[in-house]
Amino acid sequence: MTSVAFTDIVAHPLLPAEHDRDTAGFFAAARRGELVLRFCTACDQVLHLPRQACFACGGNESEWRPVPGRGHLYAWTVVTHQVHPAFAVPYTVVVVDVDGQPDGTRLVGRLAGEPVLTAGQPMRVRFDRAEDGTVVPNWEPGD
Amino acid sequence: MTGYSHRDRCAITGIGATEFSKDSGRSELTLATEAARAALADAGLTVADVDGVVSCDHDLVSYSGIAESLGIPDLTYWGQTGPGGSGPCAMVGQAVAAILSGQATTVLVYRALNGRSGRRFGQGTPDPAARVGGQGGYEEFFAPYGLVTPGQFFALLAQRHMATYGTRHEALAHIAVACREAANRNPAAQMHDRVLTLEECAIARPISLPLRLFDFCLETDGACAVIVTAAERAADSPHPAVLVRAVTQSTGPRVQPGVMYPMLQRPDVTVTPSATAARTLFSRAGLGPSDVDVAQFYDCFTITVLLQLEDFGFCAKGEGGPFAESGALRRGGSLPSNTAGGNMSEGYVHGMNHVLEGVRQLRGTSTSQVEGAEVSLVTSAPPPGTSALLLVKG
Ligand SMILES: [Zn+2]
């Protein structure tokens, strides 16, 4: 990684826990501007959502590996009814298939407003950085 | 059938409910007690007969709370399952297991909630000041993006189904209207006096598109209870016997952790654990979808019903839309469903009200009675796991 573009945001409404033993590596990498997923060291099975033990081979060693921050749009919803004070409506929740991974390897993002979206369109990762340095990988349309 | 069979060996002999309202004015314990007493009276039994209790993991009323409130002399079995709306059919299943293993003879199964005046679901629970996630629930992958309510989750499933299969919102409206029409015939339903049209569904206030207001269930204060006994004891009941033909729980493969949002990682989100539940349920029952005369589908949202229509095999995957639009779920349709109004229009008692209506259909006492109904399907919510129940006339 040479130059990572962070998108500085004034405030992030809900910041993720960064110290869970199974998921912390995801957010630690995000602070470096890297998108990582967890893989079984023995059989290369992607373990997502992140956990240590491998259901495919029974292995107990896993590691974080960088993946290209590219994906395709799997599903979305335009939220128009505000239920949580931290999220002003309208906004759009996107669910993205991470490129090159098995079906079901998906990450979530949030776009402001009601952008025009198409099923399967290319998406790219964006690193949203909060004032305190926490970084949340987000997704936006783009190759 | 290999292994142990519970087929037709237990019965639901009593059903009871409180009124369904927006503000009960009393505690969940009071509601549970009232519903339990009603179910016992309906079964022709007394508190002294009860030796087992099964509750829902979301319930504020504990087994000891209901035992104390009713004055049960001695509980020899108590159990609990869920999560939440996935529970009711599995709770009956747990009662069956307790009875057939000799741990209890008369099991009270209940669900009580002040879902409107008390703790409301779907309000987005995280504290804005706190970090979200950790503890194995994986909320940190969802909540920071504003994915914080079940309605938003099911909207994603609906959008994917629409994009994949061309399903129209009108199909969801048909489900909401079928529930409402049943409620309009049911004096006990919260929406008894409120007519709902397809047009109103189409232009209703958007909540989390593609879902609109009438794609959401109600919020209800109320309680429901049933009494489960061995089948041979059903003869002592004042009502026609209603047997548990089969019951199952199911996670399906790759269930995913947590309660809801992680299911977005399943390979195809339009397939729910109801697909594997249906396979097991029909196999245990020796029956198939075409044998079902009437169904009570768990309906937290309209899309939840549509997905189950496909997963239970009433139509092919992707054809839930045209099936619903054909009017199949309405009175006189090929699969009359949610005949008391369901969570959408009768009341949200987390699907326990569905069990009661499944029993009424076999007693012949539903306000939307399906003539000659002999096989009655009841389902509890997917995801993450789910449960389902097939009832037959004794
Ligand atoms: Zn492995």
Side-chain angles (χ1 to χ4, degrees), chain B residues 267-283:
Chain B
D268 179 352
V269 300
T270 68
V271 179
T272 76
S274 300
T276 45
R279 224 176 294 154
T280 304
L281 184 73
F282 287 129
S283 159

Side-chain angles (χ1 to χ4, degrees), chain B residues 139-150:
Chain B
E139 290 288 317
E140 62 269 46
F141 288 90
F142 307 98
Y145 306 98
L147 181 50
V148 290
T149 69

Side-chain angles (χ1 to χ4, degrees), chain B residues 25-36:
Chain B
R26 49 207 198 276
S27 70
E28 288 86 353
L29 178 60
T30 304
L31 295 172
T33 303
E34 180 185 327

Side-chain angles (χ1 to χ4, degrees), chain A residues 7 13 16 21 28 40 43 59 67 93 99 106 115 120 122 131 140-141:
Chain A
T7 303
R21 285 176 176 174
C40 174
C43 79
V67 294
V93 173
D99 282 0
R106 301 192 183 108
E131 277 179 326
E140 60 188 6

Side-chain angles (χ1 to χ4, degrees), chain B residues 45 75 85 89 107 158 163 211 215 219 222 242 250 255 292 318 323 327 348 369 374-375:
Chain B
L45 297 172
L75 278 183
C89 293
V107 182
L211 299 187
D215 294 307
E219 294 176 300
V242 174
S250 181
V255 60
V292 174
F323 186 79
Y348 181 83
Q369 183 61 43
E374 294 189 347
V375 178

Side-chain angles (χ1 to χ4, degrees), chain A residues 12-18 20 22-23 26-27 31 45-46 48-51 55 73-81 83-87 91-95 97 103-110 114 119-120 132 134 136-138, chain B residues 122-138 140-149 151-153 155-157 159-160 163 205-211 254 256-257 261-270:
Chain A
H12 202 283
L14 283 178
L15 291 173
E18 292 186 285
D20 182 273
D22 278 333
T23 68
F26 181 84
F27 297 100
R31 280 179 177 255
Q45 170 70 46
V46 64
H48 186 71
L49 298 162
R51 78 298 293 263
F55 63 87
L73 183 60
Y74 181 75
W76 69 91
T77 178
V78 179
V79 180
T80 52
H81 174 72
V83 287
H84 196 288
F87 297 102
Y91 63 93
T92 301
V93 173
V94 293
V95 179
D97 278 321
D103 283 350
T105 312
R106 301 192 183 108
L107 291 167
V108 174
R110 180 170 61 105
E114 309 176 43
D132 75 346
T134 307
V136 178
N138 197 3
Chain B
Q123 296 298 303
T125 45
D127 170 4
R131 295 261 169 171
V132 289
Q135 320 293 336
Y138 294 99
E140 62 269 46
F141 288 90
F142 307 98
Y145 306 98
L147 181 50
V148 290
T149 69
Q152 294 159 3
F153 168 83
L156 289 165
L157 272 52
Q159 190 279 328
R160 179 69 191 179
R205 185 160 58 89
I207 305 291
S208 189
L209 290 167
L211 299 187
R254 301 297 309 277
Q256 302 298 333
Y261 311 111
M263 202 193 124
L264 292 169
Q265 319 292 337
R266 291 170 70 108
D268 179 352
V269 300
T270 68

